[in-house]
């Protein structure tokens, strides 16, 4: 049995969390709804902060079997890898708003920040939290 860390999350919970945020990143890059990609309604997304979203995702994934969670992360990881491989350096510095034109307020920050924050940056954060 997996032992939860101080935050109550098991290693499996952290893996499920990473898979969900990778799914959100892929939706971002494909111009799709990020909330819908992770199973949230627009209303839920607007009503919750990041911690609230994480709590909902935690609850929804808590009872999933480990092998399913790991397979999900591997699958979405491959999809993100393929999507990033198709991007150029110029694509990486395009603004967030280029990829999410219907997101509301114009966001001119380069999308590479979201890529880092939802891949290796997020992995490191979750690894530290799981210790």
């Amino acid at each position: 049995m997996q032992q939860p860390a101080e935050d109550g999350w098991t290693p499996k919970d952290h893996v499920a969390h990473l898979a969900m945020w990778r799914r959100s990143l892929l939706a971002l890059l494909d111009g799709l709804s990020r909330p819908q990609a992770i199973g949230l309604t627009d209303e839920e997304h607007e009503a919750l902060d990041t911690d609230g979203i994480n709590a909902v995702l935690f609850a929804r994934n808590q009872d999933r079997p480990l092998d399913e969670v790991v397979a999900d992360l591997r699958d979405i990881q491959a999809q993100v890898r393929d999507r990033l491989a198709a991007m150029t350096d110029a694509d990486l510095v395009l603004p967030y708003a280029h990829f999410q034109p219907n997101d509301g307020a114009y966001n001119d920050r380069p999308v590479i920040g979201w890529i880092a924050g939802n891949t290796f940056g997020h992995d490191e954060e979750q690894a530290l939290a799981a210790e």
Side-chain angles (χ1 to χ4, degrees), residues 117-130:
N118 285 284
T119 56
F120 65 88
H122 208 166
D123 293 351
E124 183 177 334
E125 179 183 306
Q126 292 302 302
L128 292 172

Side-chain angles (χ1 to χ4, degrees), residues 73-121:
L73 179 61
R74 286 183 177 147
D75 177 58
I76 195 64
Q77 188 78 333
Q79 291 178 52
V80 168
R81 208 171 25 249
D82 290 347
R83 182 66 173 84
L84 293 176
M87 295 177 76
T88 65
D89 289 348
D91 293 332
L92 297 174
V93 295
L94 288 170
Y96 179 96
H98 171 82
F99 297 92
Q100 292 287 306
N102 299 319
D103 194 53
Y106 182 82
N107 188 331
D108 65 352
R109 293 184 304 178
V111 76
I112 194 166
W114 280 267
I115 293 169
N118 285 284
T119 56
F120 65 88

Side-chain angles (χ1 to χ4, degrees), residues 10-129:
T10 66
K12 181 198 77 172
D13 297 324
H14 287 282
V15 171
H17 173 86
L18 290 171
M20 290 292 104
W21 285 103
R22 293 287 201 292
R23 200 165 298 291
S24 173
L25 173 63
L26 192 59
L28 182 168
L29 296 173
D30 289 338
L32 303 173
S33 166
R34 296 182 74 193
Q36 288 178 6
I38 59 174
L40 296 176
T41 66
D42 290 335
E43 293 77 21
E44 286 174 312
H45 186 259
E46 289 176 22
L48 298 168
D49 63 5
T50 302
D51 288 339
I53 291 169
N54 287 337
V56 169
L57 298 178
F58 171 82
R60 291 183 181 170
N61 285 288
Q62 193 171 19
D63 294 329
R64 291 176 59 204
L66 176 61
D67 58 340
E68 182 181 305
V69 169
V70 170
D72 187 34
L73 179 61
R74 286 183 177 147
D75 177 58
I76 195 64
Q77 188 78 333
Q79 291 178 52
V80 168
R81 208 171 25 249
D82 290 347
R83 182 66 173 84
L84 293 176
M87 295 177 76
T88 65
D89 289 348
D91 293 332
L92 297 174
V93 295
L94 288 170
Y96 179 96
H98 171 82
F99 297 92
Q100 292 287 306
N102 299 319
D103 194 53
Y106 182 82
N107 188 331
D108 65 352
R109 293 184 304 178
V111 76
I112 194 166
W114 280 267
I115 293 169
N118 285 284
T119 56
F120 65 88
H122 208 166
D123 293 351
E124 183 177 334
E125 179 183 306
Q126 292 302 302
L128 292 172

